[in-house]
Amino acid sequence: MDDKTILKFPEPVVIYLTKESSIPEESVLILDFGKQGSFEYKVENYIYLNHDVIELNQRKMGILIPFQLLKFKEIIHKNPTRKNFEKLQRLLENDILKSIEANVKVGNIMQEDATQLLELTRQLYEYLYDNYYEIGGCEDMKPLLDGAMELPLDKYRIRIDELEGKLASEKERADKMSVEAERLRKELEELKKNK
């Protein structure tokens, strides 16, 4: 390292998923460097629901695309009509699903990220759809995505559970073998004494 080593940090933002009017334009963080003192660091507050998909893509925030569904949560809760759900489905198809696909094509996100985003989008959509169905919504509304999708993390958890079950059964088997080995050892000692 030389005397002029520079540590570069990405510019952070605080992302709010609500539209509360009380959120200031920026937050101030105090960075404490011990003996060297402290520093006030101003960070932009980004109110997500005030921005459209195009801007999110330009800022390389495609990973947040599924949260666009939150724009419809309040509308559907207050006025759960077929027309509003048709708008929601258009938002899903045009703004969210196509945007995820476009972000993969330009290299902003990996295919694995896209798979997770699609799953998160499906979960949010099903949450809204289930609420609408409970209050007498459209019974002929189609699911967002055909088939079930699992997040990679879910697959890992399932595999971990399988391996832990296998480990427990192997441990039980090893314990039985250890007991049997001890019994045989004692039997062998007894035979040697009787010779």
Side-chain angles (χ1 to χ4, degrees):
M1 292 177 64
D2 58 34
D3 293 338
K4 296 181 180 178
T5 300
I6 297 173
L7 299 176
K8 293 188 178 182
F9 295 92
E11 189 175 328
V13 295
V14 177
I15 300 171
Y16 288 88
L17 297 176
T18 62
K19 280 187 166 184
E20 293 174 29
S21 57
S22 61
I23 299 170
E25 286 186 21
E26 62 185 19
S27 293
V28 177
L29 304 175
I30 307 296
L31 302 179
D32 187 350
F33 292 100
K35 292 179 184 177
Q36 294 184 37
S38 58
F39 175 70
E40 282 191 4
Y41 189 65
K42 294 179 181 174
V43 178
E44 174 192 359
N45 288 333
Y46 190 82
I47 302 167
Y48 178 84
L49 295 178
N50 288 344
H51 305 277
D52 63 17
V53 173
I54 294 168
E55 182 184 337
L56 292 170
N57 289 334
Q58 288 170 345
R59 290 188 71 161
K60 297 191 187 303
M61 297 173 82
I63 205 84
L64 300 173
I65 294 290
F67 292 107
Q68 287 293 305
L69 286 170
L70 294 175
K71 290 182 174 183
F72 268 85
K73 183 180 177 185
E74 190 175 326
I75 294 168
I76 289 173
H77 182 70
K78 288 181 181 176
N79 190 15
T81 63
R82 177 183 291 272
K83 188 175 180 178
N84 279 339
F85 259 83
E86 287 170 356
K87 285 181 185 176
L88 172 63
Q89 286 186 312
R90 280 194 301 276
L91 170 79
L92 282 163
E93 291 168 15
N94 298 322
D95 288 1
I96 298 175
L97 299 180
K98 287 182 181 174
S99 181
I100 291 170
E101 185 180 320
N103 274 285
V104 171
K105 283 181 182 173
V106 298
N108 287 343
I109 60 175
M110 304 296 290
Q111 185 58 53
E112 296 81 18
D113 298 325
T115 301
Q116 291 187 31
L117 290 175
L118 290 170
E119 175 60 15
L120 292 170
T121 302
R122 184 188 62 78
Q123 290 174 0
L124 284 169
Y125 174 79
E126 285 180 358
Y127 169 77
L128 293 172
Y129 172 80
D130 288 345
N131 285 341
Y132 183 54
Y133 185 82
E134 284 174 15
I135 56 175
C138 303
E139 294 183 17
D140 60 345
M141 295 234 358
K142 302 266 191 272
L144 170 63
L145 300 165
D146 292 332
M149 294 178 66
E150 291 178 331
L151 291 170
L153 185 59
D154 295 331
K155 292 176 185 173
Y156 295 140
R157 285 188 183 136
I158 291 167
R159 184 67 179 137
I160 287 168
D161 289 345
E162 288 171 357
L163 291 173
E164 284 176 346
K166 190 173 182 180
L167 181 65
S169 98
E170 289 297 322
K171 186 179 181 316
E172 185 180 329
R173 187 169 154 247
D175 289 345
K176 286 178 183 176
M177 290 176 72
S178 180
V179 168
E180 180 63 15
E182 181 63 21
R183 186 189 68 73
L184 290 171
R185 188 187 62 75
K186 287 181 180 176
E187 189 177 309
L188 183 61
E189 283 179 10
E190 195 64 36
L191 284 170
K192 284 180 183 178
K193 283 182 188 177
N194 292 336
K195 271 189 168 181

